[in-house]
């Protein structure tokens, strides 16, 4: 079928809206009419050519839409169902079998390989391959062929247009707090870097019952926003010594921190301000090869640094839980969203890079 899509023709090029040919869904695939699709930092990294994703390609890995057709083996959803889309995984490796699909041994080839697991591709333009299957989906388009493992059935009483960002950025921030750190009522958390992921972590920290939620950033506007979303304290790390301030506030160190910037100096702060036995969750993505220095004595005192992929989520379980929390008014993630048409994708990318928009969501 013919679809409308935002294509990245080559590395560092702007997105180009084009009409391309989409394959039929195979036995384990779902054809989804996309109602909304998020623009995430990882799309922009792939557009720059910093991921193994081959180009030209259609990106997009946070979709929401309506199922139009399913392959013969698909049992999870049927035509007409509302779905959100998330990352894909193999389902058979040791990590997938132990319920940790975000740690899948084949995560990179399946999510950034540009092809289905069998090596075939899903899209063409004038007889030439356009790579897809980005995170098992490629949703910057009017329609997407989505691997069954990447679709999550969602309730029909919540507007589909707001649900797309749950599939990556929002579940990452919320999952880091709930699944990885396992924050509990009365626990204390400091979040370094306040974008859509950091704000999702703040909302989740409130849900978890954290009594002290410290937001750190270098932009005053972001710190005010953090307060609106539930931070109990804010620190501008350009103006104060973040480590000393946190130690002062908490009487020696904090139990949980989250690093959401990908900056090695910020990671150092997020570890140095931990209490004995504390854990730092590392979410921020640094370019390949970036090293960080840590004081070994600090780590020896029972402190942990833990990398977090996709919030350690099982999206089939976690996304419906986040939607329930939203319905109860406890997780107002829709406040992060600004809508754009698919045609405005380059403007959305620019606004996101400049920090003008927290979570751009495109409507094809
Ligand atoms: Zn796997
Ligand atoms: Zn993402």
């Amino acid at each position: 079928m013919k679809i409308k899509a935002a294509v990245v023709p080559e590395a560092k090029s702007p997105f180009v809206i084009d009409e391309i040919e989409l394959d039929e869904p195979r036995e384990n695939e779902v054809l989804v009419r996309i109602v909304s699709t998020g623009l995430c930092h990882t799309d922009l990294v792939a557009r720059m050519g910093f991921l193994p994703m081959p180009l030209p390609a259609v990106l997009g890995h946070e979709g929401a839409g309506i199922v139009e057709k399913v392959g013969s083996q698909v049992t999870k959803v049927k035509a007409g169902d509302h779905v959100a889309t998330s990352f894909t995984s193999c389902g058979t490796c040791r990590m997938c079998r132990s319920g940790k699909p975000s740690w899948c041994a084949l995560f990179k080839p399946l999510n950034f390989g540009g092809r289905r697991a069998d090596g075939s591709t899903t899209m063409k333009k004038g007889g030439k391959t356009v790579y897809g299957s980005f995170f098992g989906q490629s949703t910057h388009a009017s329609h997407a062929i989505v691997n069954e493992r990447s679709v999550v059935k969602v309730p029909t009483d919540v507007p589909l247009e707001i649900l797309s960002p749950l599939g990556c950025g929002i579940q990452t921030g919320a999952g880091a707090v709930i699944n990885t750190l396992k924050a509990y009522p009365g626990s204390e958390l400091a979040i370094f870097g306040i974008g859509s992921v950091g704000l999702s972590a703040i909302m989740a920290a409130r849900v978890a019952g954290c009594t002290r939620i410290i937001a750190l950033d270098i932009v005053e506007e972001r710190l005010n926003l953090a307060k609106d979303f539930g931070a109990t304290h804010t620190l501008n790390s350009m103006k104060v010594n973040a480590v000393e301030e946190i130690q002062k506030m908490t009487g020696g160190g904090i139990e949980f921190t989250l690093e959401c910037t990908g900056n090695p100096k910020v990671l150092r702060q997020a570890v140095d301000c931990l209490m004995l036995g504390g854990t730092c969750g590392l979410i921020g993505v640094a370019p390949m090869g970036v090293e960080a220095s840590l004081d070994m004595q600090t780590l020896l005192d029972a402190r942990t640094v833990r990398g977090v992929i996709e919030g350690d989520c099982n999206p089939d379980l976690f996304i419906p839980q986040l939607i329930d929390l939203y319905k109860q008014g406890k997780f107002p993630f829709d406040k992060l969203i600004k809508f754009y048409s698919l045609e405005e994708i380059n403007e959305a990318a620019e606004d996101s890079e400049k920090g003008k928009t927290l979570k751009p969501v495109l409507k094809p």
Side-chain angles (χ1 to χ4, degrees), residues 44-258:
L44 302 177
V45 173
R47 181 179 67 154
M48 294 303 284
F50 296 157
L51 284 181
M53 183 74 189
L55 301 173
V58 176
L59 306 173
H61 61 286
E62 302 176 333
I66 299 169
V67 174
E68 288 208 334
K69 214 191 244 185
V70 299
S72 57
Q73 300 294 315
V74 173
T75 52
K76 202 195 234 180
V77 292
K78 59 181 190 313
D81 281 351
H82 286 196
V83 292
T85 59
S86 189
F87 64 88
T88 196
S89 53
C90 77
T92 53
C93 74
R94 183 172 168 180
M95 293 308 173
C96 283
R97 281 186 280 122
S98 64
K100 295 278 186 198
S102 69
W103 300 358
C104 176
L106 297 177
F107 192 90
K108 284 196 174 87
L110 290 180
N111 287 282
F112 316 134
R115 302 160 181 277
R116 295 178 171 110
D118 67 2
S120 63
T121 53
T122 57
M123 289 175 287
K124 274 194 169 65
K125 168 76 186 180
K128 287 194 180 145
T129 297
V130 176
Y131 293 95
S133 304
F134 190 57
F135 284 79
Q137 47 184 291
S138 289
T139 45
H140 287 165
S142 59
H143 296 77
I145 285 183
V146 186
N147 185 291
E148 184 181 16
R149 288 185 65 79
S150 284
V151 297
V152 176
K153 191 172 167 178
V154 295
T156 52
D157 59 349
V158 180
L160 256 180
E161 59 179 25
I162 67 165
L163 297 183
S164 46
L166 291 175
C168 183
I170 291 175
Q171 76 176 359
T172 295
V177 174
I178 292 171
N179 303 326
T180 311
L181 298 177
K182 297 188 168 52
Y184 54 90
S187 60
E188 301 184 329
L189 168 69
I191 297 156
F192 291 74
I194 304 303
S196 60
V197 172
L199 291 168
S200 302
I202 290 173
M203 288 186 275
R206 282 190 64 178
V207 169
C210 292
T211 44
R212 197 192 300 263
I213 306 168
I214 307 171
L216 298 100
D217 204 286
I218 55 173
V219 180
E220 217 49 58
E221 223 182 335
R222 296 265 162 150
L223 294 173
N224 291 332
L225 206 58
K227 271 191 191 144
D228 296 343
F229 278 84
T232 60
H233 301 75
T234 58
L235 292 173
N236 186 326
S237 35
M238 282 283 257
K239 293 185 181 159
V240 298
N241 180 321
V243 174
E244 280 175 19
E245 285 299 317
I246 291 173
Q247 284 168 340
K248 240 188 277 169
M249 285 162 87
T250 55
I254 193 159
E255 184 170 7
F256 299 126
T257 60
L258 278 180

